[in-house]
Amino acid sequence: MSVAARPAPAARGQGPVVAVVALGGAAGAAARYGAALLWPTAPGAFPWTTLAVNAVGCAVIGVFMVVISEVWAAHRLVRPFFGTGVLGGFTTFSTYAVDAERLVDVGAARTALAYLGLTLLVALAAVWSAGAATRRVLVWRRRR
């Protein structure tokens, strides 16, 4: 094998990471799709399902990051599988953007703007409050 044909050192050993991200992403996207099937959004209606999915996903990210960063020495593939894959596939910027575009297309630009802003606020509040609550629970459990 020529020097030019060899993979870069950083790329070596990334196969398992890519595989677990792909598997997790498929699982997360399937869960998001399932939520959309269970709670469909009518054309022109406020996309509550996508907002809820993103809020729940962000809250779980907040808990997960505190647990794997401060409590649990997880296997090296846990974070890419669950954090990047599952939660990355479950939460969705693309559907968020498409929902806003569809609202604009049906003449509901104010609703689209409210949706864009509300999603941002709810997502940030969810990840922050879930992370803070997780830290408080951990402190409480250590005192017991």
Side-chain angles (χ1 to χ4, degrees):
M1 181 185 287
S2 73
V3 174
R6 287 189 209 156
R12 288 188 198 134
Q14 293 301 308
V17 174
V18 172
V20 298
V21 169
L23 289 172
R32 176 180 21 94
Y33 180 70
L37 290 177
L38 287 172
W39 303 287
T41 299
F46 192 91
W48 290 107
T49 302
T50 305
L51 177 69
V53 162
N54 286 336
V56 168
C58 285
V60 174
I61 287 169
V63 171
F64 177 67
M65 291 309 297
V66 168
V67 170
I68 68 162
S69 298
E70 300 174 19
V71 178
W72 179 41
H75 185 277
R76 75 179 190 92
L77 296 177
V78 170
R79 185 174 181 169
F81 172 76
F82 191 71
T84 304
V86 174
L87 294 175
F90 184 65
T91 59
T92 171
F93 179 77
S94 60
T95 303
Y96 163 72
V98 169
D99 287 344
E101 181 183 32
R102 287 182 180 157
L103 287 168
V104 169
D105 288 346
V106 298
R110 287 184 185 164
T111 303
L113 189 58
Y115 169 62
L116 291 171
L118 182 62
T119 298
L120 177 63
L121 293 174
V122 167
L124 290 172
V127 74
W128 180 84
S129 61
T134 302
R135 283 186 183 95
R136 276 184 256 142
V137 167
L138 292 172
V139 167
W140 174 78
R141 287 199 62 187
R142 287 179 188 133
R143 289 182 184 166
R144 287 180 59 201

